């Protein structure tokens, strides 16, 4: 019995360092946002990892080859659609759902007067799938930083949004991943609204 208890304790200790929140403020405080009504936002996709393919370039190369093997010329169209989904599905979904849970309006409009800028860096995308009888939700890992526009070299805060899942019922890739961004926007909005009052 003692051996079993010791083993269970050891398992708990080993598992603890690997446990983490799916959304977490890992740098700075958010009280500087209190009273802010508008926040410029930009999205970055450099060094993106996609599923098991690793670098985004590897994923695109594989998918283009698959499309071309089925229909000549369809690879380029698929690639164009892959990039277009960012502005068509990912970014609007994040912005919309952030606004539903936080009183700050996110905007990509560069003409809007805003002291601060939010930078949403997509680190990882799991595209998921839906083949009718079987489905897997899409998921994204995002790193969100907020900067004072006067100093874009050093962020005031950093939020990690890991394993944000969505889009289990979507057949098309863009809307399915867009639902994961919606989840991320929701969680970011809730976290910022909650932490703005912390001193």
């Amino acid at each position: 019995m003692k051996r079993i208890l010791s083993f269970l304790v050891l398992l708990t200790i080993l598992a603890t360092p690997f446990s983490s929140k799916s959304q977490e403020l890992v740098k700075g405080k958010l009280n500087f946002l209190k009273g802010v009504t508008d926040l410029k936002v930009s999205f970055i996709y450099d060094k993106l990892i996609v599923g098991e393919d690793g670098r985004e370039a590897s994923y695109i190369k594989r998918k283009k080859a698959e499309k071309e093997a089925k229909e000549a010329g369809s690879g380029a169209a698929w690639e164009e659609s892959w990039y277009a989904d960012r502005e068509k599905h990912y970014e609007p979904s994040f912005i919309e759902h952030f606004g539903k849970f936080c009183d700050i309006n996110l905007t990509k409009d560069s003409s809007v007067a805003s002291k601060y800028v939010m930078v949403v860096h997509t680190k990882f995308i799991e595209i998921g799938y839906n083949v009718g009888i079987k489905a897997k939700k899409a998921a994204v890992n995002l790193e969100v930083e907020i900067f004072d526009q006067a100093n874009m070299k050093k962020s005031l805060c950093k939020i990690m949004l890991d394993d944000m899942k969505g889009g289990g019922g979507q057949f098309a890739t863009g809307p399915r991943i867009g639902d994961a961004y919606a989840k991320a926007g929701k969680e970011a909005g809730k976290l910022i609204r909650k932490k703005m009052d912390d001193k």
Side-chain angles (χ1 to χ4, degrees):
M1 185 67 178
K2 286 184 178 180
R3 286 183 179 179
I4 294 173
L5 287 173
S6 297
F7 180 70
L8 291 173
V9 170
L10 179 61
L11 281 179
T12 303
I13 292 171
L14 288 173
T16 301
F18 299 100
S19 63
S20 62
K21 295 179 181 177
S22 55
Q23 61 277 341
E24 187 174 8
L25 177 65
V26 296
K27 173 188 173 183
K29 293 185 176 182
L30 298 171
N31 53 6
F32 68 92
L33 290 173
K34 196 163 182 68
V36 171
T37 56
D38 294 287
L39 195 61
K40 289 180 184 174
V41 63
S42 64
F43 294 82
I44 298 175
Y45 302 89
D46 62 336
K47 299 179 181 178
L48 171 60
I49 301 298
V50 181
E52 296 179 356
D53 286 275
R55 294 176 61 185
E56 182 184 28
S58 299
Y59 171 70
I60 291 172
K61 182 180 180 180
R62 178 176 68 80
K63 289 296 291 185
K64 282 181 71 176
E66 287 179 0
K67 296 293 182 181
E68 285 294 325
K70 292 179 180 178
E71 182 182 349
S74 63
W78 173 88
E79 183 178 13
E80 183 178 339
S81 176
W82 168 258
Y83 286 119
D85 282 340
R86 295 174 177 181
E87 289 195 7
K88 187 176 181 181
H89 297 289
Y90 308 171
E91 297 167 17
S93 294
F94 183 94
I95 291 169
E96 177 188 351
H97 285 80
F98 180 92
K100 288 181 178 180
F101 292 89
C102 188
D103 293 329
I104 298 175
N105 175 54
L106 295 184
T107 178
K108 294 174 67 178
D109 186 350
S110 59
S111 67
V112 172
S114 172
K115 179 177 172 60
Y116 303 108
V117 179
M118 175 187 285
V119 178
V120 180
H121 191 177
T122 302
K123 311 291 284 185
F124 173 79
I125 292 177
E126 168 54 58
I127 63 169
Y129 57 84
N130 189 339
V131 292
I133 59 172
K134 192 175 181 183
K136 178 181 179 181
K137 290 184 176 181
V140 295
N141 291 353
L142 309 180
E143 179 182 280
V144 177
E145 293 184 282
I146 301 178
F147 297 81
D148 187 317
Q149 281 203 101
N151 182 10
M152 292 296 292
K153 292 184 178 179
K154 185 177 181 181
S155 64
L156 300 170
C157 66
K158 182 188 291 186
I159 297 168
M160 302 304 295
L161 300 166
D162 291 331
D163 199 30
M164 299 285 107
K165 288 188 171 75
Q170 299 280 10
F171 286 98
T173 303
R176 187 168 60 243
I177 298 172
D179 278 357
Y181 276 85
K183 170 70 172 176
K186 172 184 174 180
E187 296 302 331
K190 287 168 62 177
L191 181 65
I192 288 176
R193 184 185 64 189
K194 179 182 177 181
K195 296 286 187 180
M196 275 195 298
D197 293 324
D198 291 353
K199 295 181 179 179

